[in-house]
Amino acid sequence: MKIKKLLAVLTAGTLAATMLAGCGNTNQTGKTYKIGLCQLVQHVALDKATEGFQDALKEKLGDNVKFDLQNASGDSATCATIVNQFIASGDDLIFANATSALQAAAAATATTPIVGTSITDYATALDIKDWTGKTGMNITGTADLAPLEEQAAMFKELLPEAKKIGLLYCSSEANSKYQVDIVSSELEKLGYECKEYAFADSNDVAAVTQSACDNSDALYIPTDNTAASNTEIIANIANPAKIPVITGEEGICEGCGIATLSISYYSIGKVAGEMAYEILVNGADPANMDIKYADQLTKKYVKERADELQIAVPEDYEEL
C-alpha cells in the first residue's frame, strides 16, 4: 500500500510539473493588461495585422488582456486624440498600426511602451538618422517592407514592353514616398521612364489616378494606406484604360492591381503581439529590441486582370 501511495504521489507531482511546464510563457502573475490599439484606417491589410496582434496576446494571456481598439478613419489628427486617450486611461502598452498611428504615439509619450506594425521604415517614420535596427526609444515592432528591388524587377517579368511607369501614392505618408524613391531609382536602372503622381488625400485620388493613367504604360502603388482605402476608385479608372498596376501589398493588388510581392500582414501582426508580451510580462525594453521583418514573401497575381490584359505570368506566381 505504501508503495502504491508513493507512486500515486509521484505521479501527481509529475503531472503537476508537466502541466506547469506546458504553460510555457503564459502569464503567471494574474495581472490584467490594458492595451490601446490605434489603427489608422480600416482595410484588409491593417485589419489582418490587428487580428494577428490580438490573437498572439490572447493565446498567451487569455482573459488577462483587455483591448481598446480605435480606428482613426485615415485621419492623423484623430490618431493623436486616440493615443492621448490611451495614455490618460493608463494603458500598459500602445499598439500603433500604420505610420501615422506610430508617429502620433511617439509624439504623445516617451514612457508608455509602443509596439508598431505595418510600418515600412521606422527610421523614416521616426526621423532617426543613424539607424541601427533598434529605435533606442520606447518603441519597437514589425515592418511590412518587402524587397523594393524585387518589386521593381516584376515590371521586367510581367511588362517588358512598357516604357513609362507612373508611381501613384499619398504625399502625406512618409513611408510611401520612401518606397517610391527606391522603386523609381530601380526602375530607371532597368530602363524605364518614371514619373511620380501624388495625391494629398482621398479627395484627389480620382483626379491624380486619371492623370497617371493618361500618361503611363503601367502604374506602381507602394504600401500606402490612402490608396488601400480607395482601390475601387483606382480600379474604375485604371482597368477601363487597360493600365496594369503592380502594388506593394496584397490588399491593394486584390482591389486594383495585377501583381504584388506579398507579405502576410497577419503574421507581422502576430509577431508584434509576441513582442508586446515580452515587454509586458518579461520586462523587455523596446529601445533594445530589433525591428522585425516579414520572413515569408510570395509573388501573387490576379488572374482575371492579367488575362484581360493578356499578360503572361511566370509559373512562380501564385494566384491571389
Side-chain angles (χ1 to χ4, degrees):
M1 291 294 294
K2 289 182 180 180
I3 294 175
K4 289 183 179 179
K5 286 182 179 179
L6 179 59
L7 287 173
V9 169
L10 288 173
T11 302
T14 303
L15 178 61
T18 302
M19 289 175 67
L20 285 171
C23 290
N25 287 330
T26 55
N27 179 27
Q28 300 295 322
T29 67
K31 176 179 177 179
T32 296
Y33 298 95
K34 293 167 53 183
I35 301 180
L37 292 81
C38 180
Q39 181 172 319
L40 175 62
V41 68
Q42 186 173 11
H43 64 70
V44 174
L46 298 191
D47 291 348
K48 284 291 186 183
T50 293
E51 181 185 354
F53 179 82
Q54 291 178 301
D55 284 353
L57 285 164
K58 285 187 286 189
E59 286 173 10
K60 290 181 175 291
L61 295 172
D63 294 334
N64 290 331
V65 60
K66 303 298 180 187
F67 301 109
D68 182 4
L69 174 57
Q70 300 291 327
N71 194 298
S73 300
D75 185 67
S76 298
T78 303
C79 287
T81 301
I82 290 169
V83 296
N84 280 310
Q85 289 173 349
F86 294 157
I87 294 165
S89 298
D91 287 3
D92 296 298
L93 183 140
I94 295 171
F95 172 64
N97 192 349
T99 300
S100 295
L102 182 77
Q103 291 170 330
T109 178
T111 54
T112 302
I114 299 166
V115 175
T117 197
S118 311
I119 314 297
T120 303
D121 182 70
Y122 280 79
T124 300
L126 299 171
D127 195 25
I128 299 172
K129 301 303 182 187
D130 299 317
W131 181 245
T132 65
K134 306 175 180 68
T135 68
M137 306 162 64
N138 59 315
I139 299 169
T140 190
T142 55
D144 64 356
L145 182 64
L148 297 173
E149 297 85 355
E150 293 183 35
Q151 290 184 23
M154 294 172 75
F155 282 86
K156 276 296 184 187
E157 289 182 341
L158 300 172
L159 307 167
E161 303 302 320
K163 292 180 173 56
K164 297 181 179 179
I165 309 299
L167 298 102
L168 185 67
Y169 69 102
C170 181
S171 59
S172 64
E173 296 189 33
N175 277 328
S176 295
K177 174 62 173 170
Y178 169 84
Q179 294 169 81
V180 161
D181 286 346
I182 294 177
V183 171
S184 179
S185 174
E186 293 298 321
L187 287 171
E188 287 173 353
K189 291 177 186 176
L190 295 172
Y192 291 103
E193 178 184 338
C194 298
K195 183 175 180 180
E196 296 180 13
Y197 294 88
F199 43 82
D201 52 39
S202 296
N203 295 319
D204 59 345
V205 168
V208 175
T209 301
Q210 186 64 63
S211 177
C213 288
D214 289 344
N215 296 283
S216 308
D217 300 318
L219 301 182
Y220 170 75
I221 303 176
T223 55
D224 182 289
N225 293 298
T226 306
S229 299
N230 290 275
T231 56
E232 184 176 357
I233 292 173
I234 297 169
N236 287 341
I237 296 168
N239 291 351
K242 297 190 180 303
I243 301 296
V245 182
I246 290 177
T247 73
E249 62 98 348
E250 187 174 301
I252 300 176
C253 185
E254 193 168 13
C256 64
I258 61 161
T260 184
L261 184 60
S262 176
I263 68 167
S264 167
Y265 276 81
Y266 179 85
S267 177
I268 63 169
K270 194 161 188 180
V271 171
E274 292 166 354
M275 297 172 80
Y277 176 85
E278 290 300 320
I279 293 166
L280 293 170
V281 178
N282 294 330
D285 182 358
N288 297 322
M289 298 174 74
D290 285 325
I291 299 301
K292 296 187 177 181
Y293 296 83
D295 58 1
Q296 297 177 345
L297 297 170
T298 308
K299 292 178 180 178
K300 294 190 176 183
Y301 76 106
V302 178
K303 187 177 189 305
E304 181 181 355
R305 294 194 190 108
D307 289 347
E308 286 178 3
L309 295 170
Q310 298 182 323
I311 294 171
V313 179
E315 290 184 357
D316 62 337
Y317 282 71
E318 293 183 6
E319 189 173 340
L320 183 58

